[in-house]
Amino acid sequence: MCSYLEKYNVYNFTKGGLIQMNHGGWQNLQYAANAAFIASLYVDYMKATGIPGWYCGPEYTGVDVLYKFATSQVDYILGSNPRNMSYVVGYGVHWPKHVHHRAASIPNNDHKYSCFEGLKWRNNPNSNPNNITGAMVGGPDRFDVFHDVRTNYSYTEPTLAGNAGLVAALVSLTTSGGSVIDKNTMFSGVPPLSPVSPPPPPPWKP
């Protein structure tokens, strides 16, 4: 968990605050979303077990710092970034209109297009005829730059791994936890961080 915190310089961060877990490579949002989920889940575990923080080397770190990291990554994805752009299709005011996705880019006109025929729609500069609402795209580069171009899948392609991480992070960061999630008992099967105290010794008999 310490490696997620910017001050320890394990990972680079963009000027806008996005962690670069793939060392500046493409489609970074999927890694940031999953990191946000893991961080939020760890915070829930720490709170459920009554542990207010942990040590990163000699420095004590409270769980609120890790929670702030998790929320900052999700906030970035949803539009709190230098471009003021949501990277989730259909969320907010500005979001990608040229998502690299076959069903989103090919019109529904009762014609079954072959892979070769589909290239003309992939290369079409117009916005997608169908919105893949709720899909998170690959996202910006290490300079917070994003190109909403369908042919450049490193920016505009959604992935299952990324969207699964985003959904998990959003669920974990929900304060209510939903009607069927009890954050106080969901970790009951997880061993404690420290060894269980040994039983008291039997009474001494001379």
Side-chain angles (χ1 to χ4, degrees):
M1 293 298 108
C2 301
S3 65
Y4 288 165
L5 305 181
E6 187 173 3
K7 64 181 179 180
Y8 293 112
N9 297 315
V10 177
Y11 295 106
N12 291 327
F13 283 72
T14 68
K15 289 184 178 180
L18 181 67
I19 191 171
Q20 296 289 291
M21 299 194 71
N22 62 340
H23 308 291
W26 52 282
Q27 293 200 343
N28 184 61
L29 289 188
Q30 60 183 320
Y31 305 104
N34 279 280
F37 165 57
I38 294 172
S40 179
L41 188 66
Y42 190 73
V43 169
D44 286 343
Y45 172 67
M46 297 284 278
K47 289 182 176 180
T49 53
I51 302 174
W54 77 103
Y55 282 91
C56 292
E59 186 173 352
Y60 181 80
T61 303
V63 293
D64 57 316
V65 177
L66 192 59
Y67 183 83
K68 184 178 180 181
F69 161 78
T71 56
S72 72
Q73 299 307 294
V74 173
D75 286 344
Y76 184 105
I77 293 170
L78 297 180
S80 182
N81 54 64
R83 295 180 60 88
N84 294 317
M85 183 174 191
S86 165
Y87 293 109
V88 176
V89 176
Y91 181 84
V93 178
H94 304 291
W95 38 272
K97 303 295 195 303
H98 302 81
V99 181
H100 184 94
H101 188 275
R102 185 177 177 87
S105 58
I106 297 179
N108 183 14
N109 57 8
D110 296 325
H111 177 78
K112 185 176 181 180
Y113 292 93
S114 66
C115 289
F116 180 77
E117 289 177 314
L119 291 177
K120 73 174 182 179
W121 301 111
R122 186 201 66 179
N123 300 330
N124 190 323
N126 296 329
S127 299
N128 286 351
N130 310 306
N131 287 330
I132 181 169
T133 304
M136 181 185 73
V137 298
D141 61 21
R142 60 195 178 99
F143 301 108
D144 296 306
V145 174
F146 177 78
H147 298 290
D148 190 8
V149 179
R150 191 179 301 110
T151 53
N152 196 332
Y153 63 89
S154 63
Y155 292 101
T156 58
E157 183 181 40
T159 65
L160 290 176
N163 282 272
L166 177 62
V167 170
L170 290 170
V171 171
S172 182
L173 290 169
T174 300
T175 54
S176 65
S179 59
V180 295
I181 299 176
D182 185 352
K183 293 184 178 181
N184 293 317
T185 60
M186 65 184 291
F187 300 106
S188 59
V190 180
L193 292 177
S194 56
V196 178
S197 300
W204 181 78
K205 294 181 180 180

